[in-house]
């Protein structure tokens, strides 16, 4: 018997995926059955290494069955799967998405409304939290520290909805670029931004999730406040322009 990292009780632990298994469903390659790719990517130097894998990373030392299946699975993951990421989307809870372009530079973005902010935010934070508490090599760069790990654990376990400025999350998409990174799971990276923010970048099948981890008193720049998941159920996905997939990040990253 070991202590579950979510409920903090002595329980029998199970094999728990760090990134939920259903997120891998659309990433099977056409030539290899049940094969997709895990990539280690250097965003600054534009270098990458990839390897074929058949299942996502899991850890048998972090979660008990109740926490994995009932708290994470039946609550947050079920909502994400049925609303956005599953094969059988429920139209009653699916977001309404519309594409837009900015007037000056033709930058494309999608705004999705009707998001259950609490469930979606906690679903995504649960991935960040699991990546931090695991010792799996793929997630070695995610180190939230005791303070943030405990704070996010409590949010998840007690189903507490954080403010939109608390651990803000924004998304960028490679889906319309030549290098779409489709069928790839990227090794998460810690990024220090020029404005003093700290963040973690997760690449999951063409979508880049950027988690910002700072004090709630830290001033957030406009590009975050405009695009982060909002309490009113609005979520913006920025489509990176073709040929400039990494330029957006490099302008913000502190070297």
């Amino acid at each position: 018997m070991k202590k579950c990292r979510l409920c903090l009780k002595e329980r029998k632990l199970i094999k728990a995926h760090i990134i939920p298994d259903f997120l891998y469903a659309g990433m099977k390659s056409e030539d290899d059955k049940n094969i997709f790719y895990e990539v280690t990517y250097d965003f600054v130097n534009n270098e990458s290494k990839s390897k074929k894998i058949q299942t996502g990373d899991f850890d048998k030392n972090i979660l008990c069955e109740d926490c994995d299946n009932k708290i994470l699975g039946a609550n947050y993951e079920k909502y994400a799967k049925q609303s956005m990421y599953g094969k059988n989307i429920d139209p009653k809870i699916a977001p309404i998405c519309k594409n837009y372009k900015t007037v000056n530079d033709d930058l494309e973005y999608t705004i999705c409304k009707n998001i259950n902010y609490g469930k979606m935010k906690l679903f995504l934070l649960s991935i960040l939290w699991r990546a931090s508490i695991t010792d799996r090599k793929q997630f070695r760069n995610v180190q939230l520290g005791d303070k943030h790990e405990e704070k996010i654990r409590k949010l998840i376990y007690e189903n507490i909805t954080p403010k939109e400025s608390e651990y803000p999350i924004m998304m960028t998409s490679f889906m319309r670029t030549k290098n779409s990174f489709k069928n790839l799971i990227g090794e998460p990276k810690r990024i220090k931004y020029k404005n003093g923010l700290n963040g973690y970048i997760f690449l999951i099948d063409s979508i880049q999730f950027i988690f910002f981890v700072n004090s709630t008193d830290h001033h957030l720049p406009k590009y975050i406040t405009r695009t982060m998941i909002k309490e009113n159920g609005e979520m913006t996905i920025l489509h990176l322009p073709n040929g400039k997939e990494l330029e957006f990040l490099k302008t913000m990253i502190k070297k």
Side-chain angles (χ1 to χ4, degrees), residues 6 16-23 63 67-86 93 118-120 122-124 126-127 130 156:
L6 186 56
H17 277 92
I18 310 304
I19 296 176
D21 198 41
F22 66 84
L23 287 177
L63 293 173
C67 285
D68 188 49
N69 293 336
K70 294 181 181 180
I71 295 180
L72 297 180
N75 192 9
Y76 313 124
E77 292 176 9
K78 181 180 179 180
Y79 170 74
K81 184 176 182 180
Q82 292 182 342
S83 65
M84 294 190 69
Y85 297 104
I93 62 173
K119 289 185 177 182
M120 182 58 69
L122 290 175
F123 163 67
L124 293 173
S126 77
I127 296 176
R130 280 177 274 188
I156 296 167

Side-chain angles (χ1 to χ4, degrees), residues 41-47 191 246 250 253-255:
Y41 202 88
D42 185 335
F43 293 98
V44 177
N45 297 313
N46 195 14
E47 299 175 350
I191 300 295
L246 300 174
K250 287 183 178 181
I253 294 172
K254 180 180 180 181
K255 296 183 179 180

Side-chain angles (χ1 to χ4, degrees), residues 29-138:
S29 66
E30 296 178 357
D31 55 342
D32 293 304
K33 186 177 181 181
N34 295 326
I35 295 290
F36 54 94
Y37 294 87
E38 191 173 74
V39 63
T40 301
Y41 202 88
D42 185 335
F43 293 98
V44 177
N45 297 313
N46 195 14
E47 299 175 350
S48 65
K49 294 186 296 183
S50 63
K51 63 179 180 179
K52 294 181 180 180
I53 56 177
Q54 289 183 298
T55 183
D57 276 281
F58 61 82
D59 193 328
K60 59 183 180 181
N61 297 306
I62 57 173
L63 293 173
C64 68
E65 184 175 7
D66 280 351
C67 285
D68 188 49
N69 293 336
K70 294 181 181 180
I71 295 180
L72 297 180
N75 192 9
Y76 313 124
E77 292 176 9
K78 181 180 179 180
Y79 170 74
K81 184 176 182 180
Q82 292 182 342
S83 65
M84 294 190 69
Y85 297 104
K87 292 183 179 179
N88 300 310
I89 300 297
D90 185 346
K92 295 180 181 178
I93 62 173
I96 300 170
C97 299
K98 187 175 180 180
N99 296 327
Y100 297 89
K101 280 188 177 182
T102 57
V103 176
N104 296 326
D105 52 14
D106 285 335
L107 188 64
E108 296 182 55
Y109 60 100
T110 298
I111 295 180
C112 296
K113 298 183 178 181
N114 196 35
I115 300 288
N116 185 315
Y117 168 78
K119 289 185 177 182
M120 182 58 69
K121 181 79 173 266
L122 290 175
F123 163 67
L124 293 173
L125 285 179
S126 77
I127 296 176
L128 175 67
W129 178 77
R130 280 177 274 188
S132 182
I133 66 171
T134 186
D135 60 3
R136 299 291 292 178
K137 185 179 179 180
Q138 175 73 357

